[in-house]
Amino acid sequence: MKFVVKLSTLLASVALGLTPAFGEVNASELTLTNVEGPGKRVVAYVTSWSDVMPSAYDMTNVNYAFGHVNDTFNGVTISNPERLRKITSLKRENPQLQVQLSIGGWGSGRFSEMAANPSLRKEFAADCRRIVEEYNLDGIDIDWEYPTSNAAGISSSPADTENFTFLMKDLREALPKPNLLTLASVHNANYIDFAAILPYVDFVNIMSYDMATPPYHHSPLYASEICGENSAENAVKSHIKAGVPPNMLTLGIPFYGRGKGYYNNFVDYKDIVIKENCELHWDSVAQAPYITDDSGILVLGYDTPQSITLKCEFIRNEGLLGAMYWDYAGDIPDAELRKTVADNLLHKGYPADYASAPRFNALIYYSDMVEEAHRQFAEQAIGFIHKLSYGEGFTYSVTTSLAPYTDKLGEFDIVIALNNMPHEAKEREAFENYMRSGGGWMGFHAAGYNDGGTHWEWFNEFLGAGKFYCNTWPPQPALLEVKREDHAVTKNLPVSFVAPSCEWYQWQQSPVDNPDVDVLLSLSPKNYPIGIKDIIYYGEFPVVWTNRNYRMIYLNIGHGDEEFSDATQNLLLVNSLRWIVSGCLKKQKQ
């Protein structure tokens, strides 16, 4: 099973092969806004019935759902117009944000009657212009589901497709550029004559979801056994075949799942849990997660940060205009889906709040008086972190001793321990006080080596484990499994992946037995037996964890010169760095 995970835009700089620099580096002029980015559109549907107020920077466009064709077929009614005014007020915060009224939606009718009559069409178009001006909108989005079809319980006519073209022409005349005119399209590109409407519209939002119902997945990226031929890839191909250029297409992403049996037909992402007798799976062909019941039948198909990251990679690789999602309020409070889309498609060149976020200061601590493999890792890690600083705009210092910093550890938001821990009493006291005061620590492999000769009981408590017990020498790759998919550190990671070669440490007592510890990744039991020096046959084998009493991450990774050769593991390291630093910066602001 092969997992393909594209690193976020932060890691783009790592691929440039920049020459590592040692000592103190000031990167204050190297912020996110200095780096050219993808410049994609992100279109978020925001509903009239939700009370969630969007961030002004999660997207480039908001489609407010919904307006409707009025009862006299010549104008527009707006659901919850006061909420629409609140949404348009976001443009005062972010002047580049564009807000449109989306007219239609499933079950919203009277399109057929209006579009069939030239006088009614023009009156409807004129009313759209009135609404754009009155509500300070940037355009209109048409969501007629679907011309010539009465599947949604609405009136229809065989002439709807031709009349839809006339409607787009009348709307464009009433709404000259720079007003936007967009539309939502079913995944198979049916019902609309795209070649005829292209002169009038700005872009097309593909509803690459609701393509199937269980036991088939409704929104996979690629076709596979769990979904048949319906896929986001095929939806894009259908629209291109119908005449729409890739740079006029946004790929639709659902913030909900489609279920049956143990699950309702529609389940917001924020409400999805793995129920008893159900099991989570990942389809490596479809690049999609799904849940089965105890008989192995798919009962819920949905998207996660991992699958959305891959869809964003597809958007970039295929030259699409961007992404669209339904709907903003379906995400969890931490906004992990929305942030995944923004992280992958926006950031650079966009006035997002992360572009003006506080920068941080890191202290990189290592020893050059260690075994060769641990020294090799430290040298490569310094180069890796140096390249990251070009994207994040943070500063860092490198030291082989904490002695010069015992009185000023508080100036650093994070201590990154590559292969060593403090040994002198004054250094240990300063580090302990730093961590108890809310400092951050990211420790690798040998930085957690605390055998019987270490004589630092507080460090055992801090690490959340007992003393070093054994390792699996010689170094070898291993299959790792994510234990906490809901944690920011494991965001966008596959449920399992093969990590580069390492010697894997064990402790006695194990961090698994500590109620204060969150184990985030472990060795998969599929590796057993593992090791030669010490052979491990069974049991939980933690590799990455955090002690909830401190802002810290320990990663049993960091042996030799191959550790930065795997994109998935690199993403894990970047996620860990971000998570620690974000908590420390929040603490400073309180």
Side-chain angles (χ1 to χ4, degrees):
M1 184 177 294
K2 182 180 179 182
F3 295 96
V4 181
V5 177
K6 183 74 173 180
L7 294 185
S8 69
T9 50
L10 171 62
L11 278 179
S13 61
V14 177
L16 298 177
L18 301 171
T19 303
F22 297 85
E24 188 168 330
V25 175
N26 189 323
S28 60
E29 297 180 357
L30 299 171
T31 64
L32 284 172
T33 52
N34 296 131
V35 184
E36 184 180 353
K40 299 296 184 183
R41 281 190 188 264
V42 172
V43 181
Y45 276 91
V46 174
T47 63
S48 61
W49 54 88
S50 167
D51 58 2
V52 175
M53 276 303 292
S55 161
Y57 297 106
D58 282 343
M59 73 294 288
T60 61
N61 295 70
V62 169
N63 279 355
Y64 180 80
F66 285 110
H68 305 278
V69 180
N70 65 13
D71 292 339
T72 54
F73 310 104
N74 66 344
V76 180
T77 61
I78 301 172
S79 299
N80 197 352
E82 287 308 307
R83 176 158 167 79
L84 176 56
R85 293 190 189 278
K86 290 180 181 178
I87 298 302
T88 57
S89 70
L90 294 171
K91 297 200 294 179
R92 292 197 293 268
E93 181 180 350
N94 177 9
Q96 293 191 31
L97 180 67
Q98 295 180 308
V99 180
Q100 296 169 257
L101 174 64
S102 183
I103 301 174
W106 186 256
S108 181
R110 297 185 287 274
F111 280 104
S112 184
E113 296 88 340
M114 175 269 292
N117 186 303
S119 296
L120 295 178
R121 275 202 317 266
K122 291 185 182 298
E123 290 178 39
F124 173 83
D127 202 40
C128 286
R129 177 165 185 164
R130 174 191 64 81
I131 287 171
V132 166
E133 293 173 349
E134 180 179 338
Y135 286 85
N136 188 29
L137 300 175
D138 297 281
I140 294 293
D141 174 69
I142 297 296
D143 190 7
W144 181 352
E145 302 183 18
Y146 305 100
T148 73
S149 171
N150 60 8
I154 63 175
S155 55
S156 64
S157 164
D160 284 346
T161 296
E162 183 180 16
N163 292 335
F164 185 90
T165 300
F166 294 145
L167 175 60
M168 293 294 105
K169 181 176 184 295
D170 289 343
L171 283 168
R172 175 49 75 201
E173 290 176 355
L175 298 166
K177 293 179 181 292
N179 291 298
L180 293 174
L181 180 57
T182 65
L183 66 142
S185 173
V186 70
H187 67 92
N188 55 22
N190 289 345
Y191 310 113
I192 294 170
D193 184 350
F194 285 101
I197 69 166
L198 284 184
Y200 311 122
V201 302
D202 290 282
F203 57 88
V204 177
N205 299 305
I206 304 175
M207 292 185 285
S208 41
Y209 42 73
D210 295 344
M211 295 185 286
T213 57
Y216 298 104
H217 200 294
H218 82 111
S219 61
L221 177 53
Y222 300 109
S224 80
E225 291 182 359
I226 67 168
C227 58
E229 291 304 310
N230 293 319
S231 68
E233 179 190 39
N234 286 339
V236 170
K237 289 180 178 179
S238 295
H239 282 79
I240 293 174
K241 184 178 180 180
V244 188
N247 63 1
M248 288 183 65
L249 294 172
T250 69
L251 187 73
I253 298 172
F255 285 8
Y256 63 90
R258 288 292 187 185
K260 75 167 188 177
Y262 288 94
Y263 294 91
N264 293 332
N265 175 53
F266 183 99
V267 188
D268 274 332
Y269 179 74
K270 62 189 175 187
D271 298 322
I272 293 175
V273 296
I274 302 174
K275 297 187 177 182
E276 188 175 357
N277 298 322
C278 293
E279 185 176 357
L280 176 65
H281 303 270
W282 173 262
D283 188 308
S284 61
V285 178
Q287 300 287 5
Y290 64 100
I291 295 173
T292 61
D293 61 15
D294 49 7
S295 63
I297 301 299
L298 186 151
V299 292
L300 187 72
Y302 63 107
D303 273 279
T304 60
Q306 178 191 350
S307 64
I308 291 174
T309 296
L310 295 168
K311 286 183 175 180
C312 290
E313 178 183 1
F314 175 84
I315 288 167
R316 293 193 302 269
N317 290 343
E318 298 301 318
L320 304 187
L321 178 65
M324 170 272 287
Y325 52 79
W326 178 280
D327 74 284
Y328 189 94
D331 203 354
I332 65 173
D334 286 345
E336 67 178 17
L337 301 188
R338 304 192 299 266
K339 289 179 179 177
T340 298
V341 177
D343 285 350
N344 281 279
L345 298 182
L346 298 181
H347 275 200
K348 314 295 187 351
Y350 191 68
D353 46 11
Y354 17 70
S356 59
R359 305 305 173 193
F360 62 90
N361 191 21
L363 180 62
I364 301 172
Y365 173 51
Y366 80 108
S367 173
D368 54 5
M369 304 296 291
V370 291
E371 65 174 273
E372 178 67 10
H374 294 167
R375 185 187 60 78
Q376 288 176 336
F377 169 76
E379 289 179 352
Q380 293 202 356
I382 293 168
F384 180 79
I385 295 167
H386 172 67
K387 294 168 188 175
L388 292 183
S389 75
Y390 279 79
E392 281 292 311
F394 61 86
T395 57
Y396 68 87
S397 300
V398 178
T399 185
T400 57
S401 171
L402 289 188
Y405 298 94
T406 53
D407 295 329
K408 50 184 180 180
L409 280 181
E411 298 176 6
F412 297 94
D413 301 295
I414 183 172
V415 172
I416 303 174
L418 299 180
N419 62 13
N420 199 16
M421 67 173 68
H423 294 282
E424 301 299 324
K426 187 176 180 180
E427 295 176 8
R428 289 182 172 183
E429 180 183 4
F431 178 73
E432 182 176 343
N433 290 337
Y434 168 75
M435 292 306 304
R436 291 187 185 278
S437 300
W441 182 81
M442 184 176 178
F444 291 90
H445 194 48
Y449 183 90
N450 55 330
D451 62 13
T454 304
H455 305 299
W456 193 10
E457 290 305 314
W458 174 83
F459 191 82
N460 291 344
E461 180 249 303
F462 165 71
L463 195 64
K467 293 179 171 60
F468 171 83
Y469 177 62
C470 68
N471 66 29
T472 61
W473 183 268
Q476 67 181 89
L479 182 67
L480 304 189
E481 292 183 348
V482 172
K483 311 300 289 188
R484 278 282 310 275
E485 293 184 66
D486 59 338
H487 199 283
V489 168
T490 57
K491 175 183 177 182
N492 299 343
L493 297 183
V495 293
S496 63
F497 65 95
V498 176
S501 183
C502 190
E503 56 172 346
W504 306 98
Y505 290 173
Q506 276 198 326
W507 282 258
Q508 195 179 38
Q509 302 289 326
S510 170
V512 171
D513 300 323
N514 188 332
D516 293 326
V517 166
D518 269 338
V519 175
L520 305 181
L521 291 99
S522 293
L523 286 189
S524 169
K526 295 177 182 178
N527 295 293
Y528 298 150
I530 187 172
I532 298 291
K533 172 181 174 290
D534 298 298
I535 305 176
I536 310 300
Y537 292 95
Y538 61 88
E540 182 78 8
F541 199 131
V543 172
V544 180
W545 67 82
T546 177
N547 181 342
R548 288 189 293 269
N549 294 321
Y550 301 94
R551 196 71 178 179
M552 60 83 77
I553 287 285
Y554 175 74
L555 304 103
N556 188 5
I557 293 165
H559 188 96
D561 59 1
E562 299 178 6
E563 293 289 12
F564 299 99
S565 62
D566 180 75
T568 303
Q569 182 165 288
N570 289 350
L571 180 58
L572 166 67
L573 305 185
V574 172
N575 283 351
S576 301
L577 179 64
R578 284 174 171 155
W579 179 72
I580 297 168
V581 171
S582 63
C584 296
L585 292 175
K586 288 177 184 176
K587 185 175 182 64
Q588 288 179 10
K589 294 167 69 175
Q590 292 173 352

